[in-house]
Amino acid sequence: MEQYLEKKYVQKNSIERRDYQVNLANQAIKENCIVVLPTGLGKTAIALQVIAEYLSRGTGGILFLAPTRVLVNQHYEFLKENLTLDDISLITGEDPIQKRTKLWNNSVICATPEIARNDLNRGIITPDQFGLVIFDEVHRTAGDYAYSGIAQSFENSSARILGMTATLPSEKEKATEILTKLRISSVAERREDSPDVKPYTQETHTEWINVELPPELKSIQTLLKLALDERYEALRKNGIRMAEQRSLSALLRIRQFVLNQNRRSAKPLFTGIRIHYALNILEAHGITPFLKFCERAQAKKGVGIKELFEVDPNFTRAIHLAKEAQSRGIEHSKIPKLKEILESVPGKALIFTSYRDSVDLIFNKLTEMGISAGILIGKAGDAGLKQKKQIETVQKFRDGVFQVLVATRVGEEGLDIAEVNQVIFYDNVPSSIRFIQRRGRTGRKDTGKLVVLIAKNTIDETYYWIGKRKMTAAKSMGDKMTRVLEKNHETESQKTGLDAFL
């Protein structure tokens, strides 16, 4: 017999009672806490229980933050459906100030971080209005992301802080930054193999599929690498030693140094960075995305652009070969492989790619193959999909209007996309957080399948090893953080808040 949650302010017979959720919620009610729970196991249901508790206490409003408009909308709809309360509001940058000022007075508010930070800075709202603040996708509380600014505003407030994420960062500095900024006292973590969680999860089988680049792409790859070698040689002559392996991140790290102390290296450095980007896109995404990237780069006025696109024999030849390949319909060996994979598993599939031009390419190719597909991309400037359109797309996919959804990063975070039979990574990501989020979109109700496409001898392979290392580090991060926090509690029991960390 299914049992339901019985709690004041929670609709009767609406939320299944799961022990692990109740236990995690109780911990979050007691102290500032980060709940770490794999995707699809009901972080929002935990948030709901904490919200209901704080509503009964009447200690102030509830602020529920999430990084994207689609996600905020999803939380808003969930709370509206499951709370016995009418004054729940949704606030995003699309609302004018007058409307927002009124909405901020509601008991429960779902908002995007930028708008919350800006209205706190404007004094439209004050931290003491709130008794509980929830940071969804809390791993984003780093650097100058809006979560950091909001955390600062609440530094001296007595509001309870709840952070939620599917996985902690793999880097110690980032993990410490989150703990410190949000004054976290404990990490409440469950994994897929935790005894109380196991009954609610299905296995996800991961398959890594290697593809060979077609000969046309290999020729272009060789030319781009030759062009890159020349830039590394020029940097070496200018006295810049690249100790570690030649990589984009290594070049990006020396930018400041070159601008401040070695200006003559600016041209080879910035040209080298552009060639790296172009090479990565060619290797992981194919001909059309590569050419589109080159088009955009050429349109910009930057150091060494003219020389790269008009004089450099290797680079100009690479572009010439790419245009030739494109005219013959050659893209990337991942495209025919996609068709094969999609046909092997019936049902819905979600394809992730990190690059927008690649979304269009995959969508067009699937449509040509007679496979019904939709697109989910974020909104950046005037490009991309507006919030309303994103919500519509997700709904259509849920309703089975199309079989495949091709998504960029916006589909990774927390979106409650209908049960998906398989998730395909068109490109690999060197991030444990993004890997775990992407993976969590399958295997919720039935056994799921995850397929990662890797082009041999390319950036995909490099990212595979980086990702593997980070996944291992992320797995142990929860335990490490818990140990640090427990030590703080023991040795610094007189100190509170930030002092405990310093």
Side-chain angles (χ1 to χ4, degrees):
M1 259 297 283
E2 203 169 84
Q3 281 188 306
Y4 288 99
L5 200 64
E6 287 189 30
K7 206 164 170 59
K8 193 181 174 189
Y9 290 112
V10 176
Q11 292 280 8
K12 277 212 173 329
N13 302 338
S14 71
I15 299 288
E16 179 194 356
R17 189 188 189 285
R18 296 184 178 184
D19 284 345
Y20 71 89
Q21 290 178 350
V22 173
N23 296 337
L24 291 171
N26 288 340
Q27 195 172 334
I29 287 164
K30 282 204 312 274
E31 55 195 358
N32 288 0
C33 174
I34 290 179
V35 169
V36 185
L37 188 68
T39 304
L41 288 168
K43 284 186 285 292
T44 326
I46 294 167
L48 178 77
Q49 295 177 47
V50 183
I51 289 169
E53 175 64 30
Y54 274 82
L55 284 171
S56 336
R57 292 183 181 186
T59 48
I62 294 35
L63 176 56
F64 197 156
L65 300 159
T68 63
R69 288 174 179 184
V70 187
L71 199 43
V72 169
N73 183 75
Q74 189 176 291
H75 292 329
Y76 169 67
E77 294 293 343
F78 176 83
L79 295 180
K80 249 184 13 182
E81 202 177 308
N82 296 297
L83 282 175
T84 58
L85 193 77
D86 287 334
D87 63 335
I88 304 170
S89 59
L90 169 70
I91 301 180
T92 70
E94 288 178 4
D95 303 309
I97 280 201
Q98 278 156 311
K99 186 182 174 192
R100 293 204 308 268
T101 308
K102 206 170 138 210
L103 289 173
W104 278 119
N105 291 319
N106 283 353
S107 298
V108 180
I109 292 135
C110 299
T112 46
E114 287 76 12
I115 211 66
R117 180 191 58 191
N118 296 348
D119 283 358
L120 276 162
N121 293 344
R122 289 188 185 107
I124 293 172
I125 44 168
T126 58
D128 53 19
Q129 267 176 253
F130 303 100
L132 169 68
V133 187
I134 300 169
F135 292 78
D136 190 20
E137 308 294 345
V138 72
H139 53 266
R140 287 199 177 213
T141 316
D144 54 4
Y145 184 66
Y147 274 0
S148 300
I150 296 168
Q152 215 173 349
S153 302
F154 279 89
E155 215 168 55
N156 300 312
S157 131
S158 58
R160 170 67 64 242
I161 304 285
L162 165 60
M164 305 196 300
T165 180
T167 177
L168 292 163
S170 55
E171 302 86 355
K172 194 170 141 208
E173 299 73 35
K174 279 189 186 163
T176 310
E177 190 180 348
I178 297 168
L179 289 180
T180 311
K181 280 185 172 166
L182 295 173
R183 311 190 316 283
I184 296 299
S185 300
S186 74
V187 176
E189 185 174 22
R190 290 290 189 283
R191 302 203 181 117
E192 274 157 349
D193 54 3
S194 303
D196 52 353
V197 170
K198 246 191 147 114
Y200 301 97
T201 57
Q202 297 288 338
E203 247 182 298
T204 295
H205 300 299
T206 305
E207 198 180 330
W208 306 83
I209 295 182
N210 288 302
V211 297
E212 277 281 356
L213 288 183
E216 293 82 355
L217 266 79
K218 281 185 180 167
S219 309
I220 302 166
Q221 182 190 37
T222 304
L223 290 164
L224 294 175
K225 284 184 172 173
L226 286 170
L228 251 184
D229 287 343
E230 281 180 27
R231 272 65 191 187
Y232 279 110
E233 184 52 30
L235 289 172
R236 194 186 61 76
K237 279 185 180 155
N238 289 347
I240 291 180
R241 297 269 171 271
M242 305 292 284
E244 52 204 287
Q245 91 283 28
R246 296 174 167 195
S247 69
L248 177 58
S249 52
L251 289 182
L252 292 171
R253 272 198 294 277
I254 60 169
R255 272 184 307 191
Q256 246 359 82
F257 169 76
V258 165
L259 289 173
N260 297 338
Q261 296 175 44
N262 196 321
R263 293 292 302 203
R264 64 200 170 136
S265 295
K267 198 182 208 173
L269 173 68
F270 287 104
T271 315
I273 288 172
R274 280 192 190 92
I275 300 169
H276 254 301
Y277 275 121
L279 176 64
N280 290 357
I281 287 165
L282 174 87
E283 289 182 343
H285 300 275
I287 296 282
T288 299
F290 163 74
L291 285 171
K292 283 197 171 159
F293 169 80
C294 290
E295 237 170 75
R296 278 198 294 272
Q298 195 172 3
K300 287 180 183 156
K301 302 279 177 277
V303 182
I305 291 254
K306 202 171 162 59
E307 184 200 351
L308 182 64
F309 284 93
E310 292 173 23
V311 182
D312 187 299
N314 292 312
F315 200 83
T316 49
R317 176 92 183 119
I319 288 180
H320 173 72
L321 288 182
K323 285 180 176 165
E324 224 170 61
Q326 189 186 42
S327 69
R328 301 201 337 261
I330 293 160
E331 277 303 340
H332 198 294
S333 31
K334 288 179 182 179
I335 297 283
K337 190 50 92 179
L338 265 185
K339 183 172 196 268
E340 207 180 293
I341 296 163
L342 289 169
E343 285 171 350
S344 70
V345 176
K348 290 180 185 166
L350 183 51
I351 299 173
F352 281 115
T353 172
S354 307
Y355 199 58
R356 272 192 183 185
D357 290 333
S358 169
V359 170
D360 295 334
L361 171 70
I362 296 165
F363 174 78
N364 294 334
K365 290 289 176 190
L366 291 179
T367 309
E368 274 171 34
M369 295 169 190
I371 295 168
S372 62
I375 283 179
L376 182 66
I377 53 176
K379 185 188 180 308
D382 299 327
L385 301 181
K386 285 211 162 56
Q387 178 190 358
K388 200 169 160 226
K389 192 89 180 92
Q390 290 178 7
I391 293 163
E392 262 171 41
T393 303
V394 172
Q395 196 49 54
K396 280 183 175 167
F397 186 53
R398 280 193 193 124
D399 297 342
V401 176
F402 38 81
Q403 177 202 346
V404 180
L405 185 61
V406 188
T408 53
R409 198 169 180 168
V410 72
E412 291 172 11
E413 287 191 313
L415 276 191
D416 182 15
I417 293 171
E419 184 53 42
V420 172
N421 301 75
Q422 67 174 339
V423 169
I424 301 163
F425 294 5
Y426 187 76
D427 61 341
N428 210 348
V429 282
S431 152
S432 53
I433 289 174
R434 292 181 63 193
F435 184 93
I436 287 165
Q437 285 176 327
R438 283 177 167 198
R439 180 176 172 263
R441 305 276 141 240
T442 185
R444 295 195 186 178
K445 295 191 182 76
D446 292 309
T447 305
K449 186 179 177 195
L450 168 66
V451 176
V452 186
L453 290 175
I454 295 182
K456 283 185 203 161
N457 305 318
T458 70
I459 189 72
D460 281 341
E461 279 191 345
T462 313
Y463 282 174
Y464 169 77
W465 294 109
I466 296 174
K468 234 179 160 49
R469 201 173 61 239
K470 286 190 173 178
M471 290 279 286
T472 311
K475 270 202 171 112
S476 60
M477 192 52 77
D479 301 335
K480 281 184 193 153
M481 284 166 87
T482 301
R483 281 199 297 276
V484 168
L485 291 166
E486 279 168 358
K487 213 155 91 194
N488 287 344
H489 285 314
E490 285 161 26
T491 56
E492 310 282 333
S493 53
Q494 298 79 32
K495 292 188 178 183
T496 53
L498 276 184
D499 297 342
F501 292 99
L502 306 172

